[in-house]
Amino acid sequence: MSDCFLVQVAIPVPLRQHFTYIVPLPLLTTDITIGEQVLVPFGHRQVIGVVTSIQTECPMNIEQQKLKSIISRVNPENAIPAELIKLLTLTANYYQHPIGEVFQHALPVLLRQISPVKIEKTLAWQTSQDITLALEKLTKKRAIKQAALLSLIDKHKNITWPELRTLGYSKQQLTALENKQLINATEVIPKTFTWKEADLNSADRLTLSTEQALAVAAISQGKTTFQSHLLHGITGSGKTEVYLQAMEPVLAQNQQILVLVPEIGLTPQMLARFEQRFNVPVFLHHSGLNDKERFATWLQAKQGNAAIIIGTRSAVFTPCRHLGMIIVDEEHDPSFKQQDSFRYHGRDIAILRARQQNIPIVLGSATPSFESLANANTGKYHYHQLTERPGNSVPASLKLIDVNSQPLSSGLTPATISAIKHTLAKDEQVLVFINRRGFSPAINCKECHWVADCQRCNRPYTLHKAQGLLICHHCNSQKRIPKQCPDCGSVRINPVGQGTEQVEQWLSEQFTDHSVVRIDRDSTRRKGELSKRLEQVAEKQHHILIGTQMLAKGHHFPDVTLVVMLDIDGALFSVDYRAAEHMAQLLEQVAGRAGRASKPGTVLIQTQYPQHPLLHQLVNQGYTEFAKTGLQERQWAKLPPYSFQALIRAEANTPYLPEQFLRSISQLSLPCNLAGPMPAAMEKKAGKFRFHLLVQADSRKVLHQGILTILSAVEENDLNTKVRWSIDVDPIDLSW
Ligand code: ADP
Ligand code: ZN
Ligand code: ZN
């Protein structure tokens, strides 16, 4: 044995380096391995870090006296697999983020403690008898949810509480079935588990359309190598069925599959289909789970017992013993990008990971990101299109409605109102989409035009009439609604513009025979409220739905045949070159909610700019053509994906400091192009003044060289502690 063991440790501090420690011999009763956690002295503290490399021979030049020793080894049985260490290191380099913070973000909270982690037994449910009769009874008694729960448990034996909860079932429903002795639970999560082909319910497979079959065949062909597949299928074209059938041969080999989704809680339908199709252990990772549940997922995936891991963004860092495939659903969704501290993109890391592990990855979307389409164009991704919906259901048709010189009622034109009437008369449902909560986005004085602004953000307060408050949507500060104008004393204070609350009020007053429901963050704050409201919509207890972005995801409303989109114009003139892409994606997603089954849907888009070429193209030629034009424009303007960007953000209590800080960076000799420093789109937020500097290069390599130069210069810069600054590689939001 060597007489000297040195280890490099990643420590959760904002420093872009590893730290070297000595491993004292008494701690070496067993070999220390990469990925182990260790308790180390750091400054005046003791912190837990992760061993990232080991040196068994000490270089002569190292002054060992100055090195500190590790204090203890922490839960060596929970060491982080080497593969994950490699991925995290790669990620830290890619985003130029401090390695220790990357580890901290990627690892479960429970792993970052000194005491051994107590693993709680998870309850797994199964049916205890033939359920045919019971199902009939429950259905007769209209206990629809209980019936659905019972047949799910029958399909998916050993389904666990976190899964059932995520799917929207309650403890009461579970207890009710248990009391009827229809189901029982066992406390087993076996130490090692393998699943069999018989568990894959292949009888439930749907007969694929030609397009679907081609996609499945292509994905399955490259089963054992790295290949990226872009599955571009209009909403309702059966992407999920393609995922399921592409997963089958992978699962049949006892390999694991990682599925990334934007938000599980909002879209349990997809999860439900996975659970019904495959009778294999599914583990979840999302913010609705507690630390213990998330740790269980981590462990079971690491041990190879979790067949399918479904999770949001950070699930991409789940260690998997035999990972066979990665699927990223709704790959264009901006929520895959973390927008603070460690600003990574879950989809992009997923691709890095698939390459590293030499496995296929499938990116699916009805509206692929421009980046992914560009990669499909160059042949980097295999491109599969699904252009039809199964059965006789046709996609919604889009129409522009000119709002200019029209009398508006709470933002709605007469043509829109008459379309709503017409739809309700046919006993079909209407969805009004407006991406703005509250009653109105501002209030002003009719006499002197004073506007109630938030002083900390220099932006208007949003009126929340029901709560009787003005709320700043940027910093959440609140204020009572003034009775009088503080400038001129007038009492003629009025709302300006519309939010969901106002549209809801107007429509309820107008269509008194019909029930109106609002679905936004305010109306669904209470736990279970969202799924309750969605269920009511499905049961047609409501005829008009008003909602924000929350409604754009995953939910299918077969009886909604009219969608009205208000207030999309902002994106046409945004400073952010991605705004139009995001607007188009949102529009298509919302449109996709409408008119399933055999009822065709119509989407009315109210706009002040019906002649705008972008809108025109989107409406008349569809997303694919729109994206083609968009990509051409990006190419001409040398914008991503035809160039590579990083955004340096800086903020402080005075405008002078961040600007000065960024100016010193912009004066460095860099191989990149720079834009700025300039004030952010929101120049002031929560009292802080914000500036940014955009760094751009023709290749990723050059961009990284530039960032390295910047980072070493920043370390020397006195201002670096006086401003809050960050580097965002591949930023997706330039209008912060
Ligand atoms: P997407 O994920 O593309 O929005 P889904 O996978 O949800 O679409 O499919 C929409 C509907 O079409 C679902 O109800 C699904 O069961 C059905 N479906 C998908 N593929 C087929 C098929 N090959 N044959 C019949 N029905 C299908
Ligand atoms: Zn006034
Ligand atoms: Zn504010």
Side-chain angles (χ1 to χ4, degrees):
M1 199 157 120
S2 161
D3 54 355
C4 171
F5 266 85
L6 295 184
V7 287
Q8 300 270 311
V9 180
I11 289 175
V13 290
L15 295 172
R16 289 169 172 79
Q17 65 174 98
H18 296 260
F19 296 87
T20 308
Y21 287 88
I22 299 170
V23 191
L25 282 178
L27 289 183
L28 282 169
T29 45
T30 56
D31 280 349
I32 193 158
T33 58
I34 288 179
E36 251 186 64
Q37 306 206 76
V38 286
L39 184 68
V40 295
F42 188 80
H44 303 293
R45 300 181 292 151
Q46 297 187 343
V47 294
I48 296 184
V50 178
V51 174
T52 52
S53 68
I54 299 169
Q55 263 169 274
T56 48
E57 268 171 42
C58 293
M60 301 297 280
N61 57 355
I62 226 162
E63 303 164 66
Q64 280 197 31
Q65 294 82 334
K66 282 198 187 157
L67 292 179
K68 293 186 178 161
S69 294
I70 65 171
I71 299 163
S72 62
R73 295 164 64 177
V74 182
N75 299 325
E77 69 285 1
N78 286 337
I80 297 140
E83 224 155 30
L84 185 58
I85 299 275
K86 227 157 104 197
L87 178 70
L88 295 175
T89 309
L90 212 64
T91 307
N93 286 340
Y94 185 93
Y95 290 104
Q96 298 290 332
H97 196 80
I99 180 88
E101 288 191 353
V102 170
F103 276 77
Q104 188 178 29
H105 181 88
L107 298 176
V109 176
L110 286 190
L111 207 59
R112 295 185 248 131
Q113 61 179 27
I114 298 174
S115 50
V117 190
K118 263 231 188 105
I119 299 155
E120 298 220 338
K121 291 203 175 122
T122 316
L123 284 189
W125 297 87
Q126 58 264 307
T127 44
S128 34
Q129 48 174 287
D130 185 85
I131 61 163
T132 324
L133 267 178
L135 269 185
E136 264 174 35
K137 258 197 209 159
L138 288 170
T139 316
K140 227 187 245 156
K141 280 198 287 181
R142 310 208 69 216
I144 305 296
K145 270 245 118 145
Q146 275 186 47
L149 178 57
L150 183 61
S151 56
L152 175 62
I153 295 174
D154 193 52
K155 266 250 130 90
H156 192 132
K157 289 180 187 57
N158 292 319
I159 194 162
T160 61
W161 171 235
E163 292 167 87
L164 293 171
R165 192 177 69 221
T166 306
L167 286 165
Y169 295 103
S170 68
K171 269 259 154 79
Q172 286 92 320
Q173 288 154 354
L174 207 55
T175 316
L177 294 181
E178 196 183 14
N179 289 343
K180 290 176 194 140
Q181 293 179 351
L182 294 167
I183 56 169
N184 60 59
T186 41
E187 278 187 9
V188 282
I189 293 292
K191 265 255 182 299
T192 55
F193 187 82
T194 52
W195 44 93
K196 297 182 275 320
E197 218 167 326
D199 297 325
L200 302 179
N201 294 338
S202 36
D204 292 359
R205 262 188 228 143
L206 300 173
T207 310
L208 296 179
S209 68
T210 312
E211 288 179 330
Q212 284 175 316
L214 283 171
V216 171
I219 298 166
S220 304
Q221 207 171 32
K223 214 167 61 196
T224 49
T225 49
F226 168 59
Q227 275 189 353
S228 306
H229 298 270
L230 178 61
L231 181 61
H232 180 183
I234 58 168
T235 334
S237 59
K239 291 185 288 298
T240 311
E241 189 62 31
V242 171
Y243 301 151
L244 291 169
Q245 297 204 21
M247 286 163 76
E248 236 190 85
V250 181
L251 289 171
Q253 302 273 321
N254 247 281
Q255 286 186 309
Q256 300 169 283
I257 295 170
L258 185 59
V259 184
L260 300 183
V261 296
E263 275 160 274
I264 305 184
L266 290 180
T267 56
Q269 291 94 332
M270 177 170 149
L271 173 61
R273 280 173 64 192
F274 280 58
E275 305 267 12
Q276 277 159 16
R277 182 67 60 89
F278 301 127
N279 197 359
V280 298
V282 176
F283 279 81
L284 306 178
H285 172 105
H286 59 88
S287 59
L289 304 187
N290 62 37
D291 290 345
K292 281 185 181 151
E293 291 167 338
R294 270 203 293 261
F295 184 66
T297 297
W298 194 86
L299 211 58
Q300 296 300 332
K302 179 184 163 214
Q303 291 171 350
N305 299 338
I308 304 173
I309 300 102
I310 308 185
T312 44
R313 191 171 62 215
S314 57
V316 74
F317 299 119
T318 312
C320 294
R321 190 147 166 210
H322 334 272
L323 189 61
M325 178 183 274
I326 305 180
I327 292 171
V328 183
D329 189 36
E330 308 288 1
E331 66 87 29
H332 67 279
D333 198 295
S335 65
F336 281 120
K337 172 99 186 187
Q338 173 139 317
Q339 298 286 18
D340 56 12
S341 64
F342 170 32
R343 298 161 193 269
Y344 68 97
H345 200 297
R347 174 202 59 211
D348 296 346
I349 308 271
I351 294 166
L352 280 182
R353 185 166 183 182
R355 180 162 35 186
Q356 183 194 323
Q357 302 198 222
N358 206 23
I359 54 169
I361 177 166
V362 184
L363 312 176
S365 174
T367 50
S369 63
F370 283 15
E371 272 81 6
S372 297
L373 285 172
N375 281 329
N377 289 342
T378 59
K380 225 170 130 186
Y381 293 176
H382 300 255
Y383 181 64
H384 315 286
Q385 239 186 325
L386 307 180
T387 55
E388 289 164 5
R389 290 175 167 186
N392 50 1
S393 121
V394 282
S397 62
L398 274 54
K399 259 189 224 151
L400 295 175
I401 302 243
D402 188 350
V403 298
N404 294 301
S405 55
Q406 297 266 353
L408 298 180
S409 321
S410 282
L412 303 167
T413 65
T416 307
I417 296 165
S418 108
I420 294 176
K421 269 188 202 144
H422 195 71
T423 308
L424 293 174
K426 286 189 294 182
D427 194 30
E428 292 168 355
Q429 290 167 308
V430 178
L431 164 65
V432 180
F433 178 87
I434 170 165
N435 211 7
R436 235 194 239 152
R437 326 175 266 126
F439 191 86
S440 67
I443 59 167
N444 78 354
C445 166
K446 271 271 182 199
E447 309 281 344
C448 75
H449 305 296
W450 165 86
V451 176
D453 269 341
C454 168
Q455 298 301 311
R456 304 174 68 215
C457 304
N458 294 349
R459 287 291 161 98
Y461 276 112
T462 298
L463 171 62
H464 284 253
K465 207 168 166 187
Q467 286 168 270
L469 284 174
L470 296 177
I471 301 177
C472 173
H473 282 194
H474 306 289
C475 72
N476 285 325
S477 67
Q478 304 187 345
K479 213 175 150 170
R480 260 194 249 141
I481 304 167
K483 298 209 161 51
Q484 274 185 320
C485 168
D487 278 6
C488 74
S490 162
V491 291
R492 293 180 62 205
I493 292 183
N494 286 296
V496 189
Q498 296 80 35
T500 47
E501 214 181 300
Q502 184 179 155
V503 177
E504 177 193 25
Q505 181 182 328
W506 191 86
L507 288 169
S508 322
E509 286 164 8
Q510 212 61 27
F511 297 99
T512 42
D513 291 346
H514 293 89
S515 169
V516 179
V517 68
R518 172 161 60 95
I519 299 188
D520 60 16
R521 235 175 47 224
D522 299 314
S523 74
T524 58
R525 234 174 262 278
R526 225 174 332 132
K527 218 177 140 205
E529 193 63 32
L530 175 64
S531 52
K532 191 173 111 194
R533 286 181 183 224
L534 289 173
E535 253 163 61
Q536 291 169 343
V537 172
E539 287 164 11
K540 288 188 84 171
Q541 290 180 33
H542 306 293
H543 312 100
I544 305 178
L545 296 75
I546 294 145
T548 55
Q549 200 144 346
M550 274 178 100
L551 283 184
K553 290 186 185 164
H555 312 290
H556 305 321
F557 304 113
D559 267 318
V560 169
T561 56
L562 176 68
V563 176
V564 177
M565 311 241 355
L566 305 178
D567 187 44
I568 54 136
D569 287 342
L572 298 174
F573 302 98
S574 169
V575 292
D576 190 342
Y577 62 88
R578 284 176 208 270
E581 176 190 346
H582 291 158
M583 179 270 291
Q585 289 165 344
L586 187 68
L587 213 143
E588 292 282 314
Q589 298 283 336
V590 176
R593 307 294 130 225
R596 289 287 177 102
S598 53
K599 293 176 188 157
T602 307
V603 181
L604 303 180
I605 304 159
Q606 290 199 174
T607 173
Q608 281 185 52
Y609 310 98
Q611 301 307 327
H612 196 289
L614 278 179
L615 266 184
H616 243 260
Q617 191 174 29
L618 184 61
V619 167
N620 297 321
Q621 293 174 291
Y623 183 81
T624 307
E625 289 304 309
F626 168 84
K628 253 187 215 156
T629 312
L631 274 171
Q632 251 159 27
E633 283 172 5
R634 297 249 189 114
Q635 193 161 20
W636 289 327
K638 285 211 147 223
L639 288 169
Y642 304 100
S643 64
F644 302 86
Q645 292 184 333
L647 188 68
I648 308 181
R649 299 182 170 90
E651 56 182 20
N653 291 328
T654 70
Y656 170 76
L657 287 175
E659 194 179 4
Q660 173 88 353
F661 172 75
L662 294 174
R663 190 159 308 283
S664 68
I665 294 176
S666 71
Q667 282 157 358
L668 296 170
S669 145
L670 294 168
C672 313
N673 298 321
L674 302 177
M678 56 183 134
M682 278 210 48
E683 198 173 341
K684 191 178 169 199
K685 184 173 172 182
K688 296 263 192 286
F689 293 87
R690 300 139 44 106
F691 281 76
H692 67 220
L693 176 68
L694 188 63
V695 185
Q696 185 172 312
D698 290 342
S699 76
R700 186 158 300 280
K701 206 167 143 210
V702 172
L703 180 70
H704 274 217
Q705 280 165 1
I707 297 175
L708 284 176
T709 310
I710 291 170
L711 285 172
S712 61
V714 165
E715 267 170 34
E716 312 282 301
N717 191 324
D718 296 341
L719 287 174
N720 76 13
T721 52
K722 297 193 181 115
V723 297
R724 237 182 82 145
W725 63 276
S726 64
I727 282 199
D728 187 352
V729 175
D730 305 338
I732 62 162
D733 181 15
L734 299 181
S735 60
W736 68 301

